[in-house]
Amino acid sequence: MTAAVRARRVAFALALLALLTGCASAAPAAPTLDDAVAERRAAIEAAERERFDAFVASSSARIAELGVPVPQFQGVVAREVWPDAVAACIDQTDPRIRADRVDDRLTVSYFGMVGELYDRSRWAIESCTAQFGVAEPGAAASPGPIELAWRFDDARTRVLPCLRGADLAAPSLPSEGAFVAAEAAGSPWNPYALLQGDPAGLQRALTLCPPSSRLIAEREAAP
């Protein structure tokens, strides 16, 4: 084998190694808890945006006729913020309307307004109410693909090792396909299934090795 041939083979091997290393480094990272929560929040916002668009489609002509400002979707806010946000919008849209927050509720009053003035006030309230979606923790109808991938990985890397480390009975993890199919069928795989007849053990497991759903709920509720 000549020196030139050896050099070409070495160069080819190095190029192949670089290509394989590049492919390996480009592999997607496992989804995180934050990724799963972001997917839920995006689903909630999409649903609230769809609700707002339906309101505009059905009401824009009447709103324009009454001279109410065209509503703009303001995004999703926390439940505790929603009354104040809507009250501020109403005050800006029609200061004649009395909008107050009472505990966690919004109360409005437009006493004495009749005819078209009454209609304008009512539509101003409807418009402001529609502009703000509410971010209710747990409002996502069902886990999306990112959340399902994270739940599977969380069960594999955290929940099951935690149960075994605490000497608590732990079932075998199904394949990812079976895990996702069980969720889609409405009967999610249960890492605590073998502890159903042991209330004390189950309570210990839930305390030491909380379910993925609890982690999501806590992160969703965080500011």
Side-chain angles (χ1 to χ4, degrees), residues 91-170:
D91 184 62
Q92 183 177 9
T93 303
D94 191 340
R96 292 167 297 187
I97 303 171
R98 175 77 179 270
D100 296 300
R101 177 173 183 156
V102 178
D103 297 327
D104 291 330
R105 296 179 295 107
L106 177 69
T107 65
V108 294
S109 173
Y110 38 106
F111 180 76
M113 298 182 188
V114 296
E116 187 169 295
L117 188 60
Y118 169 87
D119 286 343
R120 188 185 190 283
S121 298
R122 185 172 66 84
W123 280 106
I125 295 167
E126 293 283 348
S127 173
C128 285
T129 301
Q131 291 182 54
F132 296 90
V134 179
E136 290 281 16
S142 58
I146 294 174
E147 181 177 336
L148 287 174
W150 174 77
R151 282 177 181 262
F152 178 81
D153 193 60
D154 187 54
R156 180 180 63 83
T157 62
R158 182 186 64 84
V159 180
L160 290 179
C162 176
L163 291 174
R164 296 183 186 116
D167 292 325
L168 293 164

Side-chain angles (χ1 to χ4, degrees), residues 4-138:
V5 171
R6 282 197 299 271
R8 284 198 298 271
R9 289 189 174 181
V10 169
F12 176 77
L14 290 174
L16 180 60
L17 178 61
L19 178 63
L20 293 175
T21 303
C23 291
S25 63
T32 65
L33 172 59
D34 286 337
D35 294 331
V37 172
E39 181 187 47
R40 276 181 165 250
R41 288 177 174 165
I44 293 169
E45 181 154 354
E48 290 294 288
R49 181 64 192 241
E50 185 177 349
R51 174 196 55 74
F52 171 79
D53 289 343
F55 169 79
V56 171
S58 64
S59 309
S60 57
R62 183 57 174 155
I63 286 174
E65 180 183 338
L66 292 167
V68 175
V70 176
Q72 301 292 326
F73 185 60
Q74 303 300 324
V76 173
V77 298
R79 165 62 69 184
E80 59 271 18
V81 173
W82 186 87
D84 293 329
V86 175
C89 174
I90 291 172
D91 184 62
Q92 183 177 9
T93 303
D94 191 340
R96 292 167 297 187
I97 303 171
R98 175 77 179 270
D100 296 300
R101 177 173 183 156
V102 178
D103 297 327
D104 291 330
R105 296 179 295 107
L106 177 69
T107 65
V108 294
S109 173
Y110 38 106
F111 180 76
M113 298 182 188
V114 296
E116 187 169 295
L117 188 60
Y118 169 87
D119 286 343
R120 188 185 190 283
S121 298
R122 185 172 66 84
W123 280 106
I125 295 167
E126 293 283 348
S127 173
C128 285
T129 301
Q131 291 182 54
F132 296 90
V134 179
E136 290 281 16

